[in-house]
Amino acid sequence: MYQILTLNKISATGLDRLPAEQYTHGNEIAQPDAIMVRSASMHEMELDQKTVAIARAGAGVNNIPVDACSEQGIVVFNTPGANANAVKELVLCALLLTSRKIVPAIDWCKTLKGEGDAVGKLVEKGKSAFTGPEIKGKTLGVVGLGAIGILVANAAKSLGMQVYGYDPYISVNAAWRLSRNVKHITNVDTIFQECDYITVHVPLMESTKGMINKEKLDMMKDGVVVLNFARDTLVNDDDMAEALASGKVARYVSDFPNPKAANMDRVILTPHLGASTKESEDNCAVMAVKELTDYLENGNIRNSVNFPACDMGVCQAESRIAVLHMNIPNMIGQITGILAAQGVNITDMTNKSRDKYAYTLLDLEHKPEAATIEKLKAIEGVLRVRKVK
């Protein structure tokens, strides 16, 4: 019986896919085999030795201590693309809100309360303050062409915008999904220099932290609109405040309110609503459950942020073991040597690596003895050995 700890409210659409005869789940499990989480911070959490996997029902994993998990041989999954449509719709909403001055117009209309029959005249007199351009024919720059960026780019093109897209690491599958009418840019500075609207859809890493800064803002057109529905610290708040005050940036939209952004003028803030739709929460939960169950039951890894993808299908062999280890020379030789010395025949095997970590999955002709598992664990550089079956 596998035990799943849920740190947040996880959609029942996903949890209902955990077979009751194999799984229990709840928020008070002391020694979980795996953890499901949305936004709860896990950085101060002491992980049980029994825990082998964490699934984030969402894309970002900055609330999970990924490095510490890797060192303990804990596979961290996320659900890329599951919330993509929800974020795309909010980005499109932001494009319209910033172009047509809709938020100030709504706020102004609230001041008409109590004006009685004078409302009509006041509206005709006051509406000119809220005129704005159409987005059709304007240029949108999309920085990052992952699951969300591609949907935004394609949708904006359908709305009549000229769309520039930048992503030096775009996958083959993503490239196939991108409209051929989106202009693929090889230097991101071209987007900063030429676009009327700029939306950022990249993961938060050391290389992207503060990527929208004074240097890049100075390159932009006067009156540019910047949208951030990816991660808070991709934008340098002090530099953005200066650009807004000078008029270089006409509007800034962020889905991540913070003390600095909350005090800037001409900023539209939403309370991290990007994935806050029922459909998105259902999709994320279903994908997270599929990832966890396939890993727990078969040892397969898909959409992990710290270990390589690996798939040997449903386990049909008498036994299957998974070895999570450092990506160092002679590791495979040591693993297979120990199994051979113990008279264990390997019927199938795969080994994948990702940066400094690697993963070896082995199907065996018969179940290895406990002593054999202990010998594998004792290999220098082995992080965890799991008897899948």
Side-chain angles (χ1 to χ4, degrees), residues 63-228:
N63 59 320
I64 301 171
V66 177
D67 290 342
C69 289
S70 301
E71 293 167 3
Q72 297 176 59
I74 298 174
V75 180
V76 179
F77 297 94
N78 68 345
T79 57
N83 60 10
N85 188 70
V87 180
K88 175 207 76 175
E89 290 186 0
L90 197 58
V91 173
L92 295 179
C93 175
L95 281 172
L96 298 171
L97 289 176
T98 55
S99 179
R100 299 294 295 275
K101 301 180 184 177
I102 294 171
V103 173
I106 291 172
D107 290 340
W108 180 78
C109 283
K110 292 177 182 177
T111 68
L112 300 176
K113 185 177 181 179
E115 294 292 341
D117 294 338
V119 169
K121 291 182 178 180
L122 290 170
V123 166
E124 290 303 313
K125 182 179 180 180
K127 68 180 184 181
S128 61
F130 308 107
T131 58
E134 299 177 9
I135 62 173
K136 183 179 180 180
K138 304 303 186 296
T139 304
L140 171 68
V142 182
V143 182
L145 295 170
I148 297 169
I150 283 177
L151 292 182
V152 170
N154 291 347
K157 189 64 188 175
S158 297
L159 290 172
M161 301 188 79
Q162 300 298 313
V163 182
Y164 290 3
Y166 171 80
D167 193 328
Y169 308 109
I170 187 170
S171 68
V172 173
N173 287 337
W176 276 108
R177 296 195 303 272
L178 184 67
S179 168
R180 64 181 180 178
N181 295 316
V182 172
K183 187 174 181 180
H184 190 217
I185 303 300
T186 58
N187 185 339
V188 70
D189 287 350
T190 303
I191 284 179
F192 296 142
Q193 293 163 354
E194 298 185 13
C195 292
D196 305 302
Y197 299 81
I198 297 171
T199 182
V200 183
H201 300 284
V202 299
L204 178 61
M205 303 180 292
E206 281 302 315
S207 60
T208 60
K209 187 176 182 179
M211 64 177 292
I212 305 298
N213 53 30
K214 180 174 174 52
E215 176 191 357
K216 303 303 182 184
L217 289 164
D218 286 346
M219 293 181 184
M220 296 179 190
K221 289 183 174 182
D222 291 343
V224 68
V225 172
V226 179
L227 313 177
N228 179 14

Side-chain angles (χ1 to χ4, degrees), residues 287-309:
M287 184 180 288
V289 165
K290 287 181 178 178
E291 292 164 353
L292 280 184
T293 54
D294 198 20
Y295 180 64
L296 292 173
E297 297 172 24
N298 299 301
N300 298 323
I301 295 178
R302 183 180 181 187
N303 295 326
S304 169
V305 300
N306 59 342
F307 282 94

